[in-house]
């Protein structure tokens, strides 16, 4: 649908225009089953956090709210842990917190990477050399060691938001490199050259010519950055470097390890966070692969 046709449809009947767009989105989802499946799993996981508190009180995620070490039953569908926490309530509270870390860290890392990558790729020269050199140097630094050091240094005051910022501090370099490469190809396109010759300023070319064409790629990069941030945060939390008072999925694994749940046969304690993490990564992978169709012209032609 062209822009003029879209405006005519909205003026004629907003409801009909919305129906057409929904039908178009559904048709696209059917042509792109990976994206549809990933979004469906991700929405189901988000629904656990949104709708779960309507059925199970989040207060049951606190210690001593239930008898300890109970196997799954009708009263406690996911059992209880050694500290007397209802693991169903832990899943309802902890999954959104883990997603929150991933979304915040992914957004911050992609935001920094987009700014630096676009500026480096379009401006070039000394600016490009400085940004590219900084990203290249930091990419060689063992990230896990640095993250463990930072998290251990601020362990007493760490929260979900602080954990996300810690993870984002070393997650912007790769987006910077990949977005810079995309901008290097885009800036040679004819429409960018025409915009420059027509007198548009640098920031106008970036905002009105480059960024709109980068949006599909940025969407796929955001999903990838979110997955990487969740992986890094779960790793730190499993080492005991996460928010101690928040029942995130990584901290649930940490407590299960600390109280020897695997050796003691308390399988329901460690199984719940692992299953949710696997489903979360599966959904992010499918969404990222589906969005790759939008940013990759070769795959777009394949689906036509």
């Amino acid at each position: 649908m062209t822009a003029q046709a879209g405006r005519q449809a909205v003026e004629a009947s907003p409801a009909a225009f919305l129906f057409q767009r929904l039908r178009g989105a559904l048709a696209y989802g059917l042509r792109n089953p990976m994206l549809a499946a990933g979004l469906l799993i991700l929405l189901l996981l988000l629904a656990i956090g949104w709708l779960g508190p309507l059925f199970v009180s989040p207060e049951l995620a606190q210690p001593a709210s239930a008898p300890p070490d109970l196997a799954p039953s009708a009263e406690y569908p996911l059992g209880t842990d050694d500290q007397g926490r209802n693991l169903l309530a832990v899943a309802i509270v902890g999954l959104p917190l883990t997603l929150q870390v991933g979304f915040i860290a992914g957004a911050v890392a992609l935001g920094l990477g987009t700014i630096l990558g676009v500026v480096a790729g379009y401006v070039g020269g000394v600016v490009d050399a400085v940004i590219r050199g900084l990203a290249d140097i930091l990419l060689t630094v063992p990230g896990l060691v640095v993250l463990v050091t930072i998290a251990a240094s601020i362990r007493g005051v760490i929260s979900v938001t602080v954990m996300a910022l810690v993870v984002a501090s070393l997650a912007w370099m790769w987006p910077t490199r990949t977005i810079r490469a995309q901008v290097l190809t885009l800036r040679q396109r004819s429409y960018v050259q025409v915009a420059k010759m027509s007198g548009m300023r640098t920031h106008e070319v970036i905002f009105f010519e480059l960024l709109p064409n980068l949006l599909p790629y940025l969407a796929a990069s955001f999903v990838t950055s979110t997955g990487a941030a969740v992986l890094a945060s779960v790793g730190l939390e499993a080492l005991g470097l996460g928010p101690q008072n928040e029942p995130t999925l990584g901290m649930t694994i940490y407590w299960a390890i600390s109280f020897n749940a695997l050796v003691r046969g308390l399988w329901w304690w460690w199984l719940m966070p692992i299953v949710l993490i696997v489903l979360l990564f599966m959904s992010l992978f499918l969404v990222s692969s589906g969005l790759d169709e939008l940013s990759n012209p070769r795959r777009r032609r394949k689906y036509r």
Side-chain angles (χ1 to χ4, degrees), residues 20-293:
Q20 287 180 352
R21 298 305 297 263
L22 290 175
R23 188 175 62 179
L26 179 60
Y28 179 77
L30 294 176
R31 294 200 313 271
N32 192 338
M34 295 185 71
L35 178 61
L39 288 176
L40 179 61
I41 298 174
L42 188 59
L43 287 176
L44 290 176
L45 294 176
L46 291 173
I48 293 176
W50 290 337
L51 303 178
L54 300 177
F55 303 99
V56 179
S57 173
E59 298 296 328
L60 297 178
Q62 299 299 321
S65 60
D69 299 337
L70 292 180
S73 62
E75 185 176 4
Y76 300 102
L78 297 182
T80 64
D81 64 9
D82 211 36
Q83 303 173 34
R85 298 184 301 179
N86 186 335
L87 289 175
L88 178 58
V90 170
I92 291 171
V93 176
L95 180 58
L97 293 176
T98 299
L99 283 169
Q100 184 179 341
V101 173
F103 288 148
I104 293 176
V108 172
L110 183 63
L112 288 174
T114 301
I115 294 172
L116 295 174
V118 169
V119 171
Y122 184 73
V123 176
V126 178
V127 175
D128 181 28
V130 172
I131 295 176
R132 186 186 58 195
L134 182 62
D136 288 344
I137 292 172
L138 291 178
L139 279 173
T140 62
V141 174
L144 180 60
V145 176
V146 177
L147 289 177
V148 168
T149 304
I150 296 174
S153 302
I154 58 175
R155 185 177 180 181
V157 296
I158 200 163
S159 63
V160 170
T161 303
V162 174
M163 168 64 75
L165 296 178
V166 169
V167 173
S169 65
L170 286 181
W172 56 269
M173 295 87 73
W174 188 250
T176 298
R177 289 295 309 273
T178 55
I179 291 170
R180 171 185 172 273
Q182 291 290 322
V183 173
L184 286 176
T185 60
L186 289 177
R187 75 175 186 180
Q188 304 300 330
R189 303 285 176 85
S190 57
Y191 62 88
V192 175
Q193 300 299 324
V194 170
K196 291 169 64 177
M197 288 187 292
S198 66
M200 292 182 69
R201 299 177 180 177
T202 299
H203 68 277
E204 292 176 329
V205 175
I206 291 175
F207 280 104
F208 298 113
E209 301 296 339
L210 293 180
L211 287 181
N213 290 283
L214 282 173
L215 284 179
Y217 183 79
L218 294 179
S221 298
F222 174 69
V223 176
T224 304
S225 298
T226 300
V230 170
L231 179 63
S233 66
V234 169
L236 291 175
E237 290 167 353
L239 294 175
L241 299 175
Q244 300 290 316
N245 298 323
E246 301 288 354
T248 60
L249 298 181
M251 290 307 300
T252 303
I253 294 176
Y254 167 72
W255 293 121
I257 295 173
S258 299
F259 286 88
N260 297 316
L262 182 62
V263 177
R264 295 165 56 196
L266 305 177
W267 53 269
W268 56 89
W269 192 352
W270 51 265
L271 185 62
M272 178 273 291
I274 290 177
V275 169
L276 290 179
I277 290 172
V278 169
L279 289 175
L280 178 57
F281 278 107
M282 185 186 301
S283 66
L284 293 176
F285 171 76
L286 291 173
V287 171
S288 178
S289 299
L291 288 175
D292 187 49
E293 175 193 342

